[in-house]
């Protein structure tokens, strides 16, 4: 098969693209391409991956300008005229080459009160949540997030308003708002309301378009807006 | 500004948007209907002067604009200029007052 012309970002915030030529293979993924470069062409290339099967969420990069999980993105699908431009995710500080600093992204999960708060201990019986209840279905729709940061990188509001919690943190908060076992709902709604939270979302839907898990953070954010509205009207916020 | 205050602004913006959508439709239908066969300034005044229903409708329209536009502008200021704090809020209140004043001046001019 022919060779692939690959441009790879080198450096931190300041840097430049470096060109490589990589042999094409059937069923080759973008992560395969990056790995080939690191193992065979330039061992100093920094990138991040772990599971290689779309579970860990660590391999996201910008591929031809679009944020993607690279381990499950086939070159066939994204190469244009046998060319690939691979860079670090947008909206996150670049540490080196293809590696971004994800701390800001996950700190925002904490700010959105993204951790579960229940009352039961391990001595209590299991909570029984009906799988077909309306709330449980809403949780199901958002729960499979792998924390890859693709949505965060795709969101223009994050780029314009650095305080904005972003689609993944808000999606996480929504799954907890709909979790009947959780007991800090008011605090959480307060944490996700307003200029840095769900009300900043413009419903562009880039997050939903790009999420590799097929989640719809936009729908979660609309849910939060409705929940905040209800809580304001009831005087609970 | 508290999360609650920011949420209230959002609610005010959505509510005024719904109101304005209605007002714009009524406004357009009315002018298209009224202008059929031509209309003079004297005829317009004949219908609007002292017409309380007309006055109330356009006052609501103007106040809807005065609420809606500054809240939208607030997001533009945050996202494009990074402008926050008191100075921004003062500018927005002034803008709301300007819209309300200009709008009501026009309404009064055609009503009184
Ligand atoms: S829908 Fe909202 S969170 Fe998603 S990309 Fe658009 S602005 Fe960002
Ligand atoms: S919502 Fe989707 S795109 Fe965003 S972090 Fe989770 S899995 Fe990734
Ligand atoms: S390497 Fe784990 S999701 Fe891609």
């Amino acid at each position: 098969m022919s060779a692939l012309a690959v441009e790879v970002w080198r450096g931190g915030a300041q840097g430049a693209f470096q060109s490589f030529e990589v042999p094409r293979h059937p069923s080759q993924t973008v992560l395969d391409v990056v790995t080939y470069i690191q193992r065979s062409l330039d061992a100093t290339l920094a990138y991040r991956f772990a599971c290689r099967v779309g579970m860990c969420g660590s391999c996201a990069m910008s591929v031809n300008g679009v944020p993607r999980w690279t381990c499950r993105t086939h070159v066939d699908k994204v190469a244009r005229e046998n060319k690939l431009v691979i860079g670090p995710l947008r909206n996150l500080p670049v540490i080196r080459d293809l590696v971004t600093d994800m701390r800001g992204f996950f700190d925002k999960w904490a700010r959105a009160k993204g951790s579960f708060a229940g009352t039961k201990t391990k001595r209590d019986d299991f909570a029984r949540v009906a799988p077909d209840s309306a709330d449980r279905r809403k949780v199901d729709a958002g729960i499979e997030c792998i924390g890859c940061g693709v949505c965060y990188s795709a969101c223009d509001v994050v780029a314009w308003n650095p305080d904005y919690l972003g689609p993944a943190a808000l999606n996480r908060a929504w799954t907890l708002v709909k979790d009947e076992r959780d007991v800090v709902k008011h605090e959480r709604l307060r944490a996700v309301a307003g200029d840095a939270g769900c009300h900043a979302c413009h419903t562009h839907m880039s997050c939903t378009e790009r999420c590799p898990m097929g989640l719809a953070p936009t729908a979660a954010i609309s849910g939060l807006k409705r929940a905040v509205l209800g809580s304001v009207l009831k005087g609970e916020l | 500004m508290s999360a609650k205050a920011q949420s209230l602004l959002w609610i005010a913006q959505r509510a005024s948007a719904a109101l304005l959508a209605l007002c714009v439709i009524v406004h357009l239908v009315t002018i298209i209907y009224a202008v059929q066969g031509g209309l003079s300034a004297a005829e317009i005044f004949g219908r609007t002067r002292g017409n309380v229903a007309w006055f109330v409708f356009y006052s609501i329209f103007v106040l809807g604009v005065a609420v809606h536009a500054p809240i939208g502008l607030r997001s533009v200021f945050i996202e494009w200029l990074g402008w926050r704090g008191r100075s921004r809020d003062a500018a927005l209140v002034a803008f709301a007052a300007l819209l309300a004043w200009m709008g009501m001046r026009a309404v009064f001019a055609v009503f009184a």
Side-chain angles (χ1 to χ4, degrees):
Chain A
M1 277 188 132
S2 56
L4 195 63
V6 189
E7 303 274 311
V8 179
W9 182 257
R10 303 305 304 270
Q14 307 296 320
F17 283 99
Q18 185 182 352
S19 307
F20 295 98
E21 209 165 86
V22 176
R24 284 285 269 120
H25 297 292
S27 303
Q28 191 176 23
T29 66
V30 175
L31 186 64
D32 293 336
V33 170
V34 175
T35 302
Y36 177 86
I37 294 172
Q38 201 267 344
R39 293 202 180 151
S40 309
L41 304 178
D42 185 342
T44 65
L45 177 66
Y47 68 113
R48 199 190 268 134
F49 75 97
C51 71
R52 298 181 296 135
V53 290
M55 293 185 72
C56 70
S58 62
C59 66
M61 299 168 202
S62 160
V63 183
N64 285 349
V66 173
R68 294 186 186 278
W69 54 355
T70 54
C71 68
R72 300 205 52 189
T73 299
H74 282 254
V75 173
D76 289 337
K77 195 181 138 200
V78 290
R80 282 191 216 112
E81 290 161 5
N82 257 347
K83 284 198 193 101
L84 279 185
V85 180
I86 307 176
L89 281 183
R90 186 177 76 133
N91 291 342
L92 291 162
V94 184
I95 297 173
R96 187 158 71 87
D97 302 343
L98 302 174
V99 179
T100 54
D101 183 348
M102 306 279 290
R103 274 179 297 184
F105 174 71
F106 287 112
D107 285 349
K108 286 180 177 178
W109 289 48
R111 264 173 46 205
K113 297 223 177 292
S115 46
F116 171 75
T119 50
K120 297 200 172 202
T121 70
K122 62 184 177 189
R123 275 175 281 282
D124 293 312
D125 193 10
F126 289 112
R128 290 189 163 69
V129 182
D132 54 354
S133 67
D135 279 0
R136 175 67 227 202
R137 281 166 193 247
K138 294 209 172 82
V139 175
D140 278 343
I143 202 69
E144 297 290 353
C145 173
I146 57 172
C148 64
V150 161
C151 55
Y152 190 82
S153 169
C155 177
D156 284 336
V157 175
V158 174
W160 298 329
N161 178 1
D163 289 339
Y164 179 44
L165 294 171
L170 292 171
N171 177 73
R172 171 64 186 158
W174 174 242
T175 62
L176 291 168
V177 165
K178 289 284 121 184
D179 187 328
E180 62 179 61
R181 302 163 305 158
D182 187 89
V183 292
V184 295
K185 296 210 176 13
H186 296 322
E187 290 90 326
R188 187 171 296 109
L189 285 181
R190 213 168 291 136
V192 299
D195 296 342
C198 60
H199 296 124
C201 169
H202 288 314
T203 321
H204 288 152
M205 297 195 65
S206 312
C207 53
T208 302
E209 166 87 19
R210 296 296 172 212
C211 173
M213 296 299 288
L215 308 187
T218 317
I221 294 167
S222 309
L224 286 176
K225 287 176 180 168
R226 281 195 303 278
V228 169
L229 173 64
S231 135
V232 168
L233 294 180
K234 281 191 224 142
E236 291 168 347
L237 197 74
Chain B
M1 197 183 275
S2 70
K4 181 172 180 185
Q6 290 170 5
S7 306
L8 284 171
L9 280 182
W10 180 82
I11 293 168
Q13 195 191 23
R14 288 304 151 107
S16 58
L19 189 75
L20 288 177
L22 211 72
C23 289
V24 168
I25 291 169
V26 172
H27 173 72
L28 287 177
V29 169
T30 311
I31 56 171
I32 289 167
Y33 171 76
V35 173
Q36 276 172 359
L39 197 61
S40 69
E43 278 174 311
I44 294 177
F45 280 131
R47 291 173 194 177
T48 61
R49 286 238 154 95
N51 185 335
V52 175
W54 183 91
F55 177 79
V56 169
F57 174 77
Y58 278 97
S59 299
I60 291 175
F61 200 154
V62 165
L63 296 179
V65 171
V67 168
H68 188 80
I71 302 176
L73 197 59
R74 187 173 170 274
S75 301
V76 175
F77 283 168
I78 295 175
E79 288 169 10
W80 289 65
L81 307 176
W83 189 9
R84 290 151 210 273
R86 289 254 167 117
S87 61
R88 178 203 61 196
D89 292 343
L92 289 172
V93 170
F95 180 59
L98 180 72
L99 285 177
W101 177 70
M102 292 198 326
M104 288 314 292
R105 209 174 73 124
V107 172
F108 271 113
V110 188
F111 173 73

